[in-house]
Amino acid sequence: MAKMNSRKVLLSWGSGGSSMHQLIKEVLLKKLNNPVLAELADSARLTLRGRMAFSTDSFVVSPLFFPGGDIGKLAVCGTANDLVMLGAVPEYLSLAFIVEEGLDLALLERIVDSISRQAKSSRIKIVTGDFKVVEKGACDKIFINTSGIGRIVADSDLSARSIRPTDKIIITGNIGRHGLSVLAKRKGLDFGFNIKSDCAALGDLLLPILKKVQIKFMRDPTRGGVATTLNEIAQACSLQMLIEERNLPVSSQVKAAGELLGIEPLYIANEGIAVVICAAGDAGRVLSQLKRHPLGRRARIVGEVRKGRAGGVILKTVMGAQRLLDMSSGEALPRIC
Amino acid sequence: MAKMNSRKVLLSWGSGGSSMHQLIKEVLLKKLNNPVLAELADSARLTLRGRMAFSTDSFVVSPLFFPGGDIGKLAVCGTANDLVMLGAVPEYLSLAFIVEEGLDLALLERIVDSISRQAKSSRIKIVTGDFKVVEKGACDKIFINTSGIGRIVADSDLSARSIRPTDKIIITGNIGRHGLSVLAKRKGLDFGFNIKSDCAALGDLLLPILKKVQIKFMRDPTRGGVATTLNEIAQACSLQMLIEERNLPVSSQVKAAGELLGIEPLYIANEGIAVVICAAGDAGRVLSQLKRHPLGRRARIVGEVRKGRAGGVILKTVMGAQRLLDMSSGEALPRIC
């Protein structure tokens, strides 16, 4: 437990003086310790060579803790995954807190612990950071921004422009878990079963495959869900995505909870799966590679790319009907990540 | 003016669906346009070679607009300056918004305009971003995080470890302006004169000098002011900093306003000056180089490094007395940046 002069976060801890230094030393450096961060400069010095990916995300999820994850784990995985989607090994992360005055120090410590654990297990170095405190009521508990730098290891650019008709669309795991987990916890919903967020870092699942089979494009279907991500891809390559409902990897619990709430799993945010597109001839190998990793055991080929109305996504339902799957208009679920 | 379906920011604009895409296209891409950002991937692809600096800062300043700047200008300059302090040319910036539901779209547009102008004038590319909306009351209007990557051009590491006794301490411009400007605007104080924030990007002032004269260390005295920064430096090099009060660059207005409020200018945040340390024999040349640039016209040699009590900062007052200048304990001024 950190030796601070209060067990609640004080405004003065964000004001650049001795209390902020104490907080940084007692809480952040102890848990996130690495030589670059310990320099305590305003910037980190890194030696980088070659093609890099750079990404940022702010995390405002509410509640802060939910089955399968918390804002800290999410903040590491979310930015790491954005780098992985470009075929990059996440290497360095920045970490910036905005904290509400009066937050329990113990809560902050739990979050920093979670960040530390996830960064370690994903072999990402947290090399620079920032800590701001705002007065009570000026933010809801804690917001975290992470920005990341990754080394691109994919030989070819993973670009929607390389997508062609007949390419296969793979989803690497069960859909709809993260959004439902957060929503159930926030609203105190009891479905009679527990839905765990899929929150996970995807580098170890996806990056080794890039060296073995050619993947054309990857994107993690976070806010807006699989349907929105597929629409983004369809727009970017001006081709049609045809999805077979019966092939979608979705648990019976997520299906049931989605039906109860009137939300389609295809529109629910995920934090530990990817949409992967590859040539039809490579799809079997990609799938078998995915299934070797615990995070890819439920991977499925869910559909294929077609010529046709530019930018559209078509869902072929279990009943055989076809319907247009629009992009989410975004009303459903605020503060899911 | 952007063609959005509302003149107030809606929760749905942060939820990853079509309204968020429209916002990104209509507001952000239009104003910040560059080819990397226009790819609309979750990460940016960059080719980087060699020693780089990486930094992050979240900006929560209140009010959002103040004499001499606004949260947008601050968000670009603040992170850029952190890179410059390591001798790096700021090249790439990420930009992440957390916006309160109901914020005037026109206000957001003014802020994005300011970001765009400052990034252009500082020749920094905004290459990746994020946009979150939280419900009314969950944040105070708008918070911005920027993270930056810069190419280190300094030949030697700018490190406090290279500081030696007799080295000179230079301050590049008038102190205390930013904090007082924000505070006066926030509290509606009328001093009978206007104090403008010094908010500015320091790259053009400082980076060219690094190629001409050897600078040992630089840091921008933001939160906690010059006194806190000098204490950080003194601790890092285990030497004493002796400052001559009569040499401090401070305007009569800042002096008067500080006296009225009972705040010493040495503890007030700055956003457009640096503390620069160099060998005594180089100080004259550093000073004359600084004075050639509009941002350095008021640069002064304010003191020197001494053997002595490790970690201390001594102020020699105008009256000839010496007193210990402690690090700010941080009570004074929240949300100054």
Side-chain angles (χ1 to χ4, degrees):
Chain A
M1 217 162 64
K3 293 178 212 119
M4 300 296 298
N5 60 347
S6 158
R7 295 305 298 166
K8 303 270 183 190
V9 172
L10 304 179
L11 263 182
S12 61
W13 295 4
S15 294
S18 52
S19 343
M20 186 173 93
H21 281 265
Q22 202 192 347
L23 174 82
I24 289 172
K25 275 181 201 155
E26 291 285 333
V27 180
L28 300 173
L29 283 188
K30 264 196 193 156
K31 293 178 192 293
L32 305 170
N33 196 28
N34 77 57
V36 186
L37 194 61
E39 279 261 324
L40 277 185
D42 285 338
S43 304
R45 280 189 187 88
L46 310 171
T47 299
L48 304 173
R49 298 221 172 275
R51 294 189 314 145
M52 296 282 159
F54 179 34
S55 189
T56 192
D57 252 322
S58 290
F59 297 86
V60 297
V61 66
S62 167
L64 299 172
F65 295 82
F66 46 83
D70 60 79
I71 190 171
K73 181 180 180 186
L74 199 57
V76 176
C77 294
T79 294
N81 289 346
D82 283 346
L83 299 171
V84 169
M85 295 306 128
L86 286 195
V89 181
E91 295 195 330
Y92 302 106
L93 219 59
S94 65
L95 176 63
F97 293 95
I98 299 172
V99 176
E100 185 183 17
E101 176 188 18
L103 186 83
D104 272 331
L105 178 57
L107 197 77
L108 177 65
E109 290 180 303
R110 272 179 72 194
I111 292 169
V112 177
D113 276 332
S114 171
I115 290 170
S116 172
R117 265 196 311 277
Q118 186 61 46
K120 206 166 287 174
S121 93
S122 300
R123 300 175 304 285
I124 301 174
K125 290 187 190 71
I126 293 166
V127 292
T128 188
D130 182 42
F131 196 87
K132 295 284 192 318
V133 183
V134 298
E135 65 276 28
K136 204 155 181 64
C139 88
D140 186 10
K141 296 190 185 76
I142 183 168
F143 300 151
I144 298 178
N145 177 282
T146 51
S147 301
I149 300 178
R151 191 172 27 89
I152 295 180
V153 292
D155 290 330
S156 57
D157 268 5
L158 293 159
S159 160
R161 282 187 293 269
S162 61
I163 299 173
R164 298 283 175 273
T166 78
D167 284 352
K168 293 294 182 191
I169 303 163
I170 295 171
I171 294 180
T172 63
N174 275 355
I175 69 173
R177 294 170 53 194
H178 176 72
L180 280 179
S181 156
V182 171
L183 196 67
K185 179 82 182 184
R186 187 191 302 167
K187 304 270 189 193
L189 306 176
D190 183 3
F191 303 120
F193 46 78
N194 207 358
I195 296 176
K196 261 180 77 172
S197 165
D198 59 336
C199 181
L202 292 169
D204 290 344
L205 170 69
L206 295 170
L207 295 174
I209 302 181
L210 292 177
K211 311 222 166 189
K212 297 177 183 159
V213 200
Q214 210 205 333
I215 285 175
K216 295 189 168 188
F217 189 79
M218 308 194 286
R219 182 162 286 184
D220 52 340
T222 55
R223 286 181 283 177
V226 167
T228 299
T229 295
L230 287 172
N231 270 282
E232 290 168 357
I233 303 174
Q235 282 178 15
C237 65
S238 301
L239 291 165
Q240 194 180 73
M241 309 277 130
L242 182 80
I243 303 300
E244 301 257 4
E245 189 178 22
R246 62 155 190 257
N247 292 337
L248 285 173
V250 51
S251 72
S252 52
Q253 282 103 334
V254 164
K255 235 182 239 172
E259 273 168 24
L260 268 168
L261 299 172
I263 315 174
E264 270 194 272
L266 279 164
Y267 288 97
I268 298 174
N270 311 278
E271 288 291 344
I273 64 170
V275 173
V276 172
I277 298 185
C278 64
D282 294 327
R285 283 174 66 207
V286 171
L287 198 65
S288 69
Q289 291 288 336
L290 285 169
K291 283 176 176 295
R292 289 183 177 188
H293 192 282
L295 290 174
R297 276 206 319 267
R298 304 197 181 278
R300 300 283 294 270
I301 299 173
V302 300
E304 64 174 32
V305 180
R306 296 252 178 119
K307 278 187 200 166
R309 207 174 70 86
V313 180
I314 305 290
L315 182 73
K316 204 167 150 190
T317 68
V318 178
M319 313 297 289
Q322 295 201 355
R323 67 179 175 90
L324 195 67
L325 210 55
D326 267 336
M327 191 176 276
S328 152
S329 58
E331 278 77 26
L333 303 171
R335 298 189 63 189
I336 224 68
C337 61
Chain B
M1 217 162 65
K3 294 179 210 116
M4 299 296 297
N5 60 348
S6 160
R7 295 305 299 164
K8 303 270 183 191
V9 172
L10 304 178
L11 263 182
S12 61
W13 295 3
S15 294
S18 51
S19 341
M20 188 174 91
H21 280 266
Q22 203 192 348
L23 174 81
I24 290 172
K25 276 182 199 153
E26 293 285 335
V27 180
L28 300 173
L29 283 187
K30 262 194 194 156
K31 293 179 191 292
L32 305 170
N33 197 27
N34 75 58
V36 186
L37 193 62
E39 280 260 324
L40 276 186
D42 285 337
S43 304
R45 278 188 190 88
L46 310 171
T47 299
L48 304 173
R49 297 222 172 274
R51 294 189 313 146
M52 296 283 159
F54 179 35
S55 189
T56 192
D57 252 322
S58 289
F59 297 86
V60 297
V61 66
S62 168
L64 298 171
F65 296 81
F66 45 84
D70 59 80
I71 189 171
K73 182 181 180 186
L74 199 56
V76 176
C77 294
T79 293
N81 289 347
D82 283 346
L83 299 171
V84 169
M85 294 307 127
L86 286 196
V89 181
E91 295 194 328
Y92 302 106
L93 219 59
S94 66
L95 175 64
F97 293 94
I98 299 173
V99 176
E100 185 182 17
E101 176 188 19
L103 186 84
D104 272 330
L105 177 57
L107 197 75
L108 177 64
E109 291 180 301
R110 270 179 73 195
I111 292 169
V112 177
D113 276 334
S114 171
I115 290 171
S116 171
R117 265 196 311 276
Q118 186 60 46
K120 205 166 288 174
S121 92
S122 300
R123 300 174 305 284
I124 301 174
K125 291 188 189 71
I126 293 166
V127 291
T128 188
D130 182 42
F131 195 87
K132 294 285 192 317
V133 183
V134 296
E135 64 275 28
K136 203 154 182 63
C139 88
D140 186 11
K141 297 189 184 78
I142 183 168
F143 300 151
I144 298 177
N145 176 282
T146 51
S147 301
I149 299 177
R151 190 171 29 88
I152 295 180
V153 292
D155 290 329
S156 56
D157 268 5
L158 293 158
S159 160
R161 281 188 293 270
S162 61
I163 299 173
R164 297 284 175 272
T166 77
D167 283 353
K168 293 294 183 191
I169 303 163
I170 295 171
I171 295 181
T172 63
N174 276 354
I175 70 173
R177 294 170 53 194
H178 176 71
L180 280 178
S181 155
V182 170
L183 195 69
K185 179 81 183 188
R186 187 191 302 167
K187 305 272 189 192
L189 305 177
D190 184 3
F191 303 120
F193 46 78
N194 208 358
I195 295 177
K196 261 180 76 173
S197 165
D198 58 336
C199 180
L202 292 170
D204 290 345
L205 170 69
L206 295 171
L207 295 174
I209 302 181
L210 292 177
K211 312 223 164 190
K212 297 178 185 158
V213 200
Q214 209 204 334
I215 285 176
K216 294 191 169 188
F217 189 79
M218 307 194 286
R219 182 161 286 183
D220 51 342
T222 55
R223 286 182 283 176
V226 167
T228 299
T229 295
L230 287 172
N231 270 281
E232 291 168 358
I233 302 173
Q235 282 177 16
C237 65
S238 301
L239 291 165
Q240 194 180 72
M241 309 276 131
L242 182 80
I243 303 300
E244 302 256 2
E245 188 177 23
R246 63 154 191 257
N247 291 337
L248 286 173
V250 51
S251 73
S252 52
Q253 282 105 333
V254 163
K255 235 183 241 173
E259 273 168 24
L260 269 168
L261 299 172
I263 315 172
E264 271 193 272
L266 278 164
Y267 288 96
I268 298 173
N270 311 279
E271 289 290 345
I273 65 170
V275 173
V276 173
I277 298 186
C278 63
D282 294 327
R285 282 174 67 206
V286 171
L287 198 67
S288 69
Q289 291 287 337
L290 285 169
K291 285 177 174 296
R292 288 180 176 190
H293 191 282
L295 291 174
R297 275 205 320 265
R298 303 196 183 280
R300 299 283 291 270
I301 298 173
V302 300
E304 65 175 31
V305 180
R306 295 253 180 118
K307 277 187 201 168
R309 208 174 70 86
V313 180
I314 305 290
L315 182 73
K316 203 166 149 191
T317 67
V318 179
M319 313 298 289
Q322 296 201 354
R323 67 180 175 90
L324 195 66
L325 212 55
D326 267 334
M327 191 176 276
S328 152
S329 57
E331 277 76 29
L333 304 170
R335 298 186 65 189
I336 224 69
C337 61

